Amino acid sequence: MSSPIQPGAAPEEKLEFVSSCKLPMPWATFELHAFYDEVSGKEHLALTLGDVGNGEPVLGRVHSECLTGDGLFSQRCDCGAQLEAALKKIAKEGRGVLFYLRQEGRGIGLLNKIRAYHLQDQGADTVEANERLGFPADMRRYTIVLPMLAHLRITSLRLMTNNPRKVKALEDNGIPVAERIPLIANHNPFNIGYLGTKARKLGHLLPGVGKVAEPAGKLPPDAHDNE
């Protein structure tokens, strides 16, 4: 059932479609599509609902893996809450796509993310921690989405994100974004510093967050920035 995807718009990407299956979830039964990334050796997923290949812009999210937030319910970030909120929005609309990319910690990997946690425990913010480890603020590849879009016959996205830079990064890599849709979720006392860093240093549009003072003794922000 596996088949290589013709490069087309992303010649530098070597992506193989593996298989698809039904995935019942609390909000709807999605179609789960599995892909193998020959560049990184990792697996990436796409969850679709309804007819996404009819030529109309598709409600979608490009979500980077966050084990602590998505799987361990961490309150130090908003990743898990955004994942759930995006799937709920797609289910409510009855049509959409969520790309789940294996790019933990903005591309630095899980172990380095834990190292970044340690630096944050000592007072660094999410950007400073990555930089002290010798990494750029963001190492993610968005071109990996192009062959996935082609396989699913999706021509443009109504992208759920709070990050205008993400919209620009996708568009710069040839991924059409018809509309940006805010995705505000899980603002809590434990992640206010993390969200403030996203607003101040990474340009995220988070109403009421960017100017909030970081309280003394706060829990350090998460090393992962899903947006």
Side-chain angles (χ1 to χ4, degrees):
M1 189 173 291
S2 300
S3 60
I5 297 174
Q6 294 302 316
E12 71 278 17
E13 298 294 353
K14 295 182 179 179
L15 198 70
E16 178 184 352
F17 167 69
V18 178
S19 189
S20 296
C21 67
K22 299 292 184 184
L23 186 69
M25 303 183 81
W27 317 285
T29 297
F30 286 75
E31 190 83 9
L32 179 64
H33 311 269
F35 301 86
Y36 177 68
D37 177 0
E38 295 183 21
V39 175
S40 67
K42 294 182 179 180
E43 304 87 4
H44 303 289
L45 303 172
L47 288 154
T48 61
L49 185 66
D51 184 3
V52 296
N54 63 4
E56 296 294 322
V58 177
L59 179 65
R61 174 157 177 81
V62 178
H63 188 93
S64 295
E65 179 183 38
C66 175
L67 177 63
T68 51
D70 299 340
L72 300 178
F73 317 108
S74 171
Q75 295 298 291
R76 293 169 59 156
C77 67
D78 54 352
C79 303
Q82 285 188 319
L83 176 63
E84 181 174 342
L87 290 170
K88 285 180 177 179
K89 284 179 179 289
I90 291 170
K92 183 176 181 179
E93 185 155 311
R95 177 175 177 268
V97 61
L98 186 138
F99 297 101
Y100 196 88
L101 306 182
R102 305 291 302 282
Q103 302 189 120
E104 182 80 46
R106 296 198 303 274
I108 68 174
L110 181 59
L111 297 183
N112 282 322
K113 175 180 172 178
I114 302 305
R115 293 186 178 103
Y117 273 179
H118 177 70
L119 292 176
Q120 291 168 19
D121 289 340
Q122 299 174 351
D125 66 33
T126 183
V127 173
E128 292 166 348
N130 278 24
E131 292 174 345
R132 289 185 192 178
L133 291 173
F135 299 110
D138 198 331
M139 294 178 61
R140 290 173 292 183
R141 289 163 43 223
Y142 288 121
T143 49
I144 195 64
V145 177
L146 274 170
M148 299 169 79
L149 287 167
H151 178 79
L152 297 169
R153 303 192 308 277
I154 296 174
T155 56
S156 67
L157 294 174
R158 295 166 51 225
L159 187 69
M160 291 181 279
T161 181
N162 305 316
N163 186 2
R165 294 184 187 183
K166 188 178 200 176
V167 175
K168 185 177 187 305
L170 292 176
E171 291 178 331
D172 286 348
N173 284 294
I175 302 166
V177 178
E179 179 184 4
R180 185 189 73 83
I181 298 174
L183 190 64
I184 308 296
N186 193 30
H187 291 186
N188 66 72
F190 300 103
N191 67 20
I192 190 65
Y194 159 78
L195 295 174
T197 299
K198 287 171 72 169
R200 289 190 304 276
K201 291 190 174 182
L202 300 172
H204 292 223
L205 301 178
L206 298 169
V209 170
K211 296 182 179 180
V212 174
E214 297 180 5
K218 70 181 188 308
L219 269 176
D222 197 310
H224 183 77
D225 173 9
N226 207 306
E227 292 291 348

